[in-house]
């Protein structure tokens, strides 16, 4: 493929152990033979980001007792792989020293957090970024050790973002300019840039992160701005599947998926792809493939343009996939006095927005006597407070009877382009849930008409996913 550019991203499990790293290295070697221009993006080793952030949040509560244990785990994880896979003594030692310096800065950061008694979003990003900053050095040394020309670069050099710490947004113009300026000369010389997923920096050089699971997004940004021809996301399953294989082991890989289907799936909880990954690749018109580091010969899943799917049922089934988002609460604002009063919804969502909460699902009863929406579990209490304040007068006057939240619920979403053209799908879905005694608390149809979402009690999550999955594979 003369002059074609490929961006490959390896997820946490794909670089999470010596065995995984051997696979990743072989995948890079094979891709090198096919693609003259190759960029590699890596996540932190599996479990590392969680460990870093847990330590930081404990430190914020004044607890640094488990720091030595965390430090030890980080050393063992990275050093074991370096010892095994970087045979040359000097590069191995150098890599371990660099990683050790990062571990020491992790310890310093946590101690500083403990002294302050709080962890600001900016400090949390500094801590969380260390996972990728360690793994990129490890992977770089392993690739270099095989004799492949590569260079480790932190994405803070070229992914420039705003200062919305923990969920930063790239500034595309500068990012494009810097990414091209830094990566292109390497690609021209046949050197593989190996870079960090998940992280960026503000124009002043302060480290930011793109949100949990954001390495997929990093790969998409790099692919879009270069631009590359293809972006491949290497993970631990055979692509995008009919549902999470951890819930239904018999879930099948979808060989193709449309933009709007994957957008709904990712948004409604299919962890396999970060929801922000899709827009950059679609806008840049580049290919996206999701494939398995542990089964590299499997073709995985290819993203296809919406227009290529005629919406006809696949294998006679219109429902293509089922997902679940757990740990949500439904909030209801209800009262007969709301009937026909303009602006209630606007005020309600204004109050929700003031808490910085995003709302994944909204339903409104046609009677206008209630507004009901879902929010993440941990935001429910502040959201109810904000609503009670915003509607203090109406509550006093009893125009609004009450504002309340449910117990833990899950949003179950059924996705499939064919659903638009097929009457009776909703009927099938609800009778399937009914047959399985799953009580539906609320319903919403995605605006794209590619999905239908239902809210069920937390304890019904697995049952609902399994029951709906039968509509796909039965
Ligand atoms: P990575 O570390 O490679 O980014 P993630 O853990 O973020 O991997 O995402 C992969 C996981 O997503 C899979 O192991 C699987 O359990 C989960 N998953 C959830 N829904 C789906 C789905 N529809 N198809 C495939 N995997 C899914
Ligand atoms: N390491 C980061 C996380 O765990 C980013 C990623 O894996 O995509 O959230
Ligand atoms: Mg991921």
């Amino acid at each position: 493929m003369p002059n074609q550019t490929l961006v490959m991203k390896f997820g946490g499990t794909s670089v999470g152990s010596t065995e995984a790293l051997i696979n990743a290295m072989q995948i890079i070697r094979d891709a090198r033979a096919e693609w003259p221009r190759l960029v590699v993006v890596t996540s932190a080793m599996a479990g590392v980001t969680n460990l870093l952030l847990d330590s930081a949040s404990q430190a914020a509560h004044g607890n640094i007792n488990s720091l030595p244990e965390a430090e030890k785990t980080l050393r063992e994880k990275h050093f074991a792989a370096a010892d095994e896979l970087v045979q040359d003594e000097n590069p191995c030692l150098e890599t371990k020293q660099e990683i050790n310096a990062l571990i020491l800065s992790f310890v310093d950061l946590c101690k500083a957090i403990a002294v302050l008694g709080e962890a600001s979003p900016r400090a949390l990003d500094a801590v969380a970024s260390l996972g990728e900053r360690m793994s990129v050095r490890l992977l770089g040394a392993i690739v270099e050790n095989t004799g492949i020309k590569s260079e480790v670069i932190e994405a803070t050099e070229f992914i420039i973002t705003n200062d919305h710490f923990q969920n930063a947004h790239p500034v595309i113009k500068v990012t494009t300019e810097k990414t091209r300026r830094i990566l292109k000369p390497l690609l021209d010389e046949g050197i593989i840039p190996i870079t960090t997923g998940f992280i960026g920096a503000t124009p002043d050089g302060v480290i930011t992160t793109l949100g949990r699971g954001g390495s997929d997004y990093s790969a998409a940004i790099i692919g879009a701005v270069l631009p590359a021809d293809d972006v491949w996301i290497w993970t631990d399953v055979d692509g995008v599947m009919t549902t999470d294989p951890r819930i239904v082991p018999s879930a099948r890989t979808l060989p193709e998926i449309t933009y709007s289907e994957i957008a709904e799936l990712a948004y409604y909880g299919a962890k396999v792809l970060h929801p922000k990954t899709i827009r950059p690749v679609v806008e840049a018109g580049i290919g996206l493939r999701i494939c398995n580091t542990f089964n590299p010969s499997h073709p995985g899943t290819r993203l296809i343009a919406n227009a290529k799917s005629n919406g006809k049922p696949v294998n006679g089934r219109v429902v293509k996939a089922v997902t679940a988002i757990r740990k949500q609460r439904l909030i209801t604002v209800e009262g007969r006095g709301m009937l026909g009063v303009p602006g209630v919804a606007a005020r309600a969502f204004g109050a929700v927005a003031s808490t910085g909460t995003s709302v994944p699902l909204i339903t409104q009863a046609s009677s206008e006597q209630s507004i009901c929406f879902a929010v993440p579990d941990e935001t429910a209490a502040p959201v109810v407070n904000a609503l009670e304040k915003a509607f203090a007068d109406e509550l006093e006057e009893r125009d609004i009877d009450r504002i309340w939240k449910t117990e833990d619920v899950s949003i179950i979403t059924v996705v499939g382009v064919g659903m638009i053209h097929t009457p009776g799908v909703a009927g099938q879905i609800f009778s399937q849930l009914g047959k399985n005694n799953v009580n539906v608390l609320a319903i919403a149809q995605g605006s794209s008409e590619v999905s239908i979402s239902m809210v069920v009690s937390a304890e019904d999550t697995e049952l609902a996913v399994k029951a709906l999955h039968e509509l796909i594979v039965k």
Side-chain angles (χ1 to χ4, degrees):
M1 270 171 260
N3 276 327
Q4 298 252 305
T5 307
L6 172 66
V7 177
M8 298 205 298
K9 173 256 170 178
F10 291 92
T13 28
S14 302
V15 293
S17 63
T18 304
E19 297 69 42
L21 282 159
I22 292 173
N23 288 359
M25 186 261 290
Q26 276 160 359
I27 289 166
I28 294 170
R29 203 171 48 198
D30 292 350
R32 158 108 242 122
E34 297 271 319
W35 298 76
R37 301 165 76 85
L38 179 62
V39 180
V40 170
V41 179
T42 184
S43 291
M45 294 181 88
V48 166
T49 313
N50 284 346
L51 179 67
L52 296 168
L53 286 172
D54 285 351
S55 305
S57 91
Q58 284 185 32
H61 292 100
N63 179 5
I64 48 167
N65 294 341
S66 51
L67 260 188
E69 188 60 36
E71 213 184 319
K72 187 165 158 244
T73 308
L74 292 173
R75 250 183 222 115
E76 277 171 6
K77 240 180 175 4
H78 294 90
F79 288 8
D83 284 335
E84 202 149 332
L85 301 177
V86 188
Q87 281 88 19
D88 291 344
E89 205 173 309
N90 278 344
C92 181
L93 201 65
E94 253 169 53
T95 307
K96 283 171 28 182
Q97 276 166 350
E98 286 180 25
I99 292 172
N100 197 46
L102 294 167
I103 294 173
L104 294 177
S105 84
F106 155 70
V107 173
D108 286 347
L109 278 164
C110 284
K111 286 184 177 160
I113 289 170
V115 171
L116 287 171
E118 70 168 346
S120 65
R122 176 176 167 159
L124 288 173
D125 273 359
V127 173
S129 71
L130 292 165
E132 272 69 11
R133 296 176 63 204
M134 291 190 274
S135 65
V136 78
R137 288 168 167 82
L138 177 62
L139 184 62
I142 293 169
V143 171
E144 196 71 42
N145 184 70
T146 62
I148 297 174
K149 281 199 289 177
S150 64
E151 189 166 319
V152 168
I153 309 164
E154 294 193 10
T156 45
E157 303 279 322
F158 55 87
I159 295 192
I160 305 304
T161 71
N162 62 11
D163 63 358
H164 196 155
F165 295 103
Q166 298 194 287
N167 196 16
H169 194 70
V171 184
I172 289 301
K173 198 160 170 262
V174 209
T175 300
T176 305
E177 189 261 309
K178 290 205 179 221
T179 307
R180 289 183 185 169
R181 182 151 49 79
I182 293 175
L183 299 192
K184 279 207 161 154
L186 297 173
L187 295 172
D188 290 344
E189 281 184 54
I191 297 171
I192 303 176
I194 302 187
T195 189
T196 50
F198 185 48
I199 70 175
T202 66
D204 299 337
V206 182
I207 296 182
T208 56
T209 68
L210 308 177
R212 291 304 307 270
S215 294
D216 301 332
Y217 187 28
S218 304
I221 295 167
I222 296 169
V225 302
L226 271 175
D229 297 278
D230 236 350
V231 174
W232 294 1
I233 305 287
W234 291 95
T235 184
D236 57 0
V237 285
D238 289 338
V240 180
M241 309 183 80
T242 47
T243 194
D244 188 342
R246 281 177 297 195
I247 301 180
V248 183
S250 63
R252 292 183 194 158
T253 299
L254 296 163
E256 289 184 338
I257 190 154
T258 67
Y259 297 159
S260 41
E261 286 170 335
I262 187 73
E264 296 292 301
L265 274 173
Y267 183 74
Y268 282 111
K271 201 185 162 211
V272 66
L273 198 68
H274 190 284
K276 288 188 182 165
T277 315
I278 300 139
R279 191 174 151 202
V281 296
V282 169
E283 286 182 355
I286 59 186
L288 182 73
R289 179 183 165 212
I290 294 124
C291 31
N292 191 349
T293 305
F294 304 92
N295 188 13
S297 60
H298 192 288
T301 300
R302 265 277 171 202
L303 191 63
I304 55 167
N306 286 344
K308 287 198 186 147
S309 167
N310 55 13
K312 291 231 178 76
V314 179
N315 305 330
R317 311 255 171 237
V318 290
V319 176
K320 259 180 133 174
V322 186
T323 62
I325 316 186
R326 296 171 200 257
K327 295 206 180 318
Q328 304 286 306
R329 300 285 179 114
L330 275 180
I331 310 273
T332 307
V333 179
E334 68 183 8
R336 276 181 292 276
M338 284 167 57
L339 193 71
V341 179
V344 174
R347 280 169 59 206
F349 290 110
V352 178
S354 73
T355 66
T357 304
S358 68
V359 175
L361 174 142
I362 305 170
T363 64
Q364 180 172 20
S366 57
S367 69
E368 276 190 69
Q369 288 182 31
S370 72
I371 299 172
C372 177
F373 53 90
V375 294
D377 183 20
E378 69 281 3
T379 63
V383 164
V384 169
N385 276 339
L387 288 165
E388 283 172 350
K389 261 200 208 131
F391 291 113
D393 291 346
E394 286 79 359
L395 284 162
E396 173 92 28
E397 298 292 322
R398 305 206 51 78
D399 286 339
I400 288 177
D401 296 322
R402 59 179 189 143
I403 297 170
W404 57 285
K405 59 178 196 298
T406 58
E407 293 299 306
D408 234 359
V409 296
S410 295
I411 302 174
I412 310 292
T413 302
V414 174
V415 176
V417 170
M419 287 176 8
I420 306 172
H421 307 285
T422 317
V425 177
Q428 264 180 45
I429 290 170
F430 293 111
S431 70
Q432 182 72 358
L433 290 175
K435 265 192 275 175
N436 287 275
N437 288 323
V438 175
N439 188 23
V440 177
L441 306 172
I443 305 165
Q445 175 160 351
S447 57
S448 57
E449 292 184 70
V450 170
S451 70
I452 299 175
S453 294
M454 288 134 295
V455 178
V456 303
S457 298
E459 61 268 25
D460 284 342
T461 310
E462 305 232 325
L463 185 57
V465 169
K466 284 183 180 140
L468 293 173
H469 192 254
E470 282 175 16
L471 294 177
I472 309 174
V473 294
K474 123 180 121 175

